[in-house]
């Protein structure tokens, strides 16, 4: 396919409630959308970079800049989605920016071929079980109310964000209030150090599925040491930016579970490689999220349908994030989301809604 032009579109999406993690509080999502135009079809990619470089080094203005200045100029030859990563390889890092571009090319290619993301990636089922990520709250009663609401909506797994000062007590309160059958896990977003090992071992009696990213993004060795001091399984998120990182983490014993976020690892093709590697090594994976709109969610749900995704993902329904999504909303049915079956992402932005939330557009002719 020859890419003739690309639209970069920024949209402002207010969140239904503030989302607080150990690295900051989000009240709205500033999303960069990439629309690739080819003679055969158009395709969409949602960039998951956040407004500020607090989760990882990428941020949305930087992603837009690197796409415009370095990535698109490397994509002037005719190519398919399988060629994008190689063409962009000389540019170091910027995986979220690369993922958005590759996803848009893949969407265009699949729409032209009449094939869905799920089918292309190797989905083994037509719906996926859903969990929900619950932010840090001002009080334990407020947290219990939030969790009760999500359980009522049918979520099959609860993930609690933790940080020093908001860990053992709120997690224990949720466990005691909702019982031992609730699938429960925690996510620290790198807020602890190895000296907190004894404290974190206090979580061991709470029957957690996993603790996600307790230590620094770049510290596989310390995670391996921590794993020896905890009974709660360690899952890595921020630390795993590629299949090579996943291989290193597995070899070192840094984790026994991986959260796969396609944006973080440079796209759905790399995400599938990590899935395949983990599956071959007996490492469970689940699909993470970055507060995506319906466009990014569609692809995540397709990925989460691969056979190695044996734990419920952070693939929540649209209304957990947004009063009005830019696509037809994803809605939970019996705790599950349906994998879109139409060509490409299988969903479209609704033009009137998209226009309402758009803050800027830029057209780049290739
Ligand atoms: O660490 O998984 C994370 C959201 C933004 C950035 C990082 C994370 C998260 C979430 C929410 O936990 C996942 C979602 O529901 O999209
Ligand atoms: Mg995480």
């Amino acid at each position: 396919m020859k890419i003739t032009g690309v639209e970069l579109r920024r949209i402002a999406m207010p969140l239904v409630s503030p989302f607080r993690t150990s690295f900051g509080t989000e009240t709205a999502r500033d999303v960069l959308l990439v629309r690739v135009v080819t003679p055969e079809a158009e395709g969409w990619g949602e960039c998951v970079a956040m407004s500020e470089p607090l989760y990882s080094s990428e941020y949305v203005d930087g992603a837009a800049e690197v796409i415009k200045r370095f990535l698109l100029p490397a994509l002037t030859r005719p190519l398919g989605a399988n060629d994008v990563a190689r063409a962009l390889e000389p540019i170091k890092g910027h995986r979220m920016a690369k993922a958005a571009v590759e996803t848009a090319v893949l969407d265009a290619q699949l729409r032209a071929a009449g094939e869905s993301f799920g089918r292309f990636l190797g989905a083994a089922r037509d719906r996926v079980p859903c969990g929900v990520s619950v932010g840090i709250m001002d009080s334990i009663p407020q947290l219990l109310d939030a969790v009760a609401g999500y359980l009522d909506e049918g979520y099959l797994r609860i993930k609690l964000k933790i940080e020093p000062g908001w860990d053992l007590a709120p997690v224990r309160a949720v466990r005691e209030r909702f019982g031992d059958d609730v699938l429960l896990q925690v996510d620290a977003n790198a807020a602890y150090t190895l000296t907190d090992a004894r404290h974190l071992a206090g979580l061991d009696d709470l029957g957690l599925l996993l603790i996600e990213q307790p230590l620094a993004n770049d510290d596989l060795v310390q995670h391996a040491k921590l794993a020896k001091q905890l009974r709660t399984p360690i899952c890595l998120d921020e630390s795993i930016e590629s299949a090579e990182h996943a291989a290193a983490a597995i070899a070192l014993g840094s984790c026994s579970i991986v959260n796969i976020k396609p944006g973080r690892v440079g796209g759905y093709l790399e995400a599938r490689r990590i899935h395949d590697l983990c599956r071959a090594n007996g490492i469970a994976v689940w699909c993470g999220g970055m507060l995506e709109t319906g466009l990014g969610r569609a692809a995540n749900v397709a990925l989460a349908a691969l056979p190695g995704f044996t734990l419920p993902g952070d693939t929540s329904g649209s209304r957990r994030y947004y009063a009005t999504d830019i696509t037809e909303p994803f809605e939970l049915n019996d705790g599950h989301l349906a994998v879109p079956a139409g060509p490409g992402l299988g969903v479209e932005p609704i033009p009137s809604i998209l226009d309402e939330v758009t803050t800027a557009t830029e057209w780049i002719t290739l």
Side-chain angles (χ1 to χ4, degrees):
M1 289 187 312
K2 166 73 186 131
I3 303 173
T4 52
V6 174
E7 181 190 75
L8 299 184
R9 182 183 285 255
R10 290 285 279 276
I11 63 173
M13 299 285 288
L15 289 166
V16 292
S17 54
F19 183 61
R20 180 170 157 206
T21 65
S22 63
F23 62 77
T25 304
E26 311 293 317
T27 55
R29 197 76 172 83
D30 176 4
V31 183
L32 169 66
L33 299 177
V34 177
R35 180 170 63 95
V36 159
V37 177
T38 76
E40 295 84 10
E42 297 185 4
W44 292 92
E46 174 171 343
C47 183
V48 301
M50 307 186 86
S51 316
E52 298 169 293
L54 301 177
Y55 164 81
S56 71
S57 63
E58 291 188 79
Y59 63 103
V60 65
D61 288 337
E65 163 82 5
V66 83
I67 288 172
K68 235 180 327 193
R69 193 158 155 209
F70 298 109
L71 304 188
L72 297 181
L75 301 179
T76 50
R77 288 181 299 105
L79 44 68
N82 276 316
D83 307 313
V84 171
R86 205 171 327 126
L88 301 182
E89 162 113 36
I91 316 295
K92 301 295 180 275
H94 298 282
R95 295 179 208 264
M96 292 176 178
K98 290 176 177 176
V101 171
E102 185 192 81
T103 303
V105 173
L106 179 55
D107 185 34
Q109 177 179 320
L110 294 177
R111 285 183 200 263
E115 188 180 1
S116 70
F117 256 67
R119 192 182 163 87
F120 171 82
L121 291 172
R125 46 190 181 242
D126 59 10
R127 60 176 208 157
V128 299
C130 298
V132 60
S133 176
V134 186
I136 295 166
M137 308 255 161
D138 293 332
S139 70
I140 288 177
Q142 196 189 354
L143 174 68
L144 295 176
D145 282 352
V147 171
Y150 291 132
L151 291 173
D152 281 347
E153 284 183 57
Y155 284 101
L156 299 170
R157 183 227 70 194
I158 300 291
K159 162 170 139 183
L160 303 179
K161 291 292 192 177
I162 60 168
E163 66 181 2
W166 182 264
D167 45 29
L168 304 189
V171 178
R172 188 177 305 117
V174 168
R175 178 55 88 207
E176 281 172 3
R177 161 84 183 270
F178 300 102
D180 290 341
D181 289 346
V182 171
L183 299 182
L184 188 62
Q185 63 192 51
V186 296
D187 186 0
N189 288 108
Y192 296 89
T193 69
L194 193 54
T195 58
D196 297 312
R198 289 254 298 276
H199 176 70
L200 291 173
L203 294 167
D204 280 347
D205 292 327
L206 296 173
L208 301 180
L209 285 172
L210 57 92
I211 178 170
E212 182 177 344
Q213 197 70 41
L215 310 180
N217 297 22
D218 56 1
D219 215 335
L220 293 181
V221 171
Q222 303 246 49
H223 276 104
K225 290 185 181 165
L226 180 63
K228 295 206 174 75
Q229 300 182 55
L230 301 184
R231 274 184 285 120
T232 307
I234 292 181
C235 168
L236 291 176
D237 173 355
E238 286 90 328
S239 290
I240 308 298
E241 295 188 352
S242 65
E244 288 78 7
H245 290 178
I250 293 168
L252 286 167
S254 311
C255 65
S256 49
I257 301 168
V258 172
N259 165 338
I260 300 185
K261 286 181 186 170
R264 192 193 66 221
V265 303
Y268 288 85
L269 301 178
E270 186 73 1
R272 183 171 58 183
R273 269 179 225 116
I274 296 174
H275 160 273
D276 295 348
L277 173 78
C278 288
R279 193 162 182 238
N281 283 277
I283 298 286
V285 304
W286 55 279
C287 184
M290 293 290 286
L291 315 176
E292 285 90 346
T293 73
L295 283 176
R297 193 161 307 283
N300 284 352
V301 168
L303 179 72
L306 268 61
F309 285 77
T310 52
L311 292 167
D314 283 345
T315 45
S316 306
S318 294
R319 59 189 262 211
R320 180 258 172 270
Y321 313 92
Y322 305 113
T324 311
D325 206 335
I326 57 169
T327 62
E328 281 303 310
F330 278 83
E331 284 172 1
L332 245 61
N333 193 334
D334 203 14
H336 292 69
L337 288 183
V339 179
L345 295 173
V347 299
E348 312 278 346
I350 298 163
S352 59
I353 299 178
L354 188 61
D355 284 343
E356 254 170 60
V357 297
T358 295
T359 55
T361 58
E362 187 171 356
W363 175 256
I364 297 144
T365 305
L366 291 202

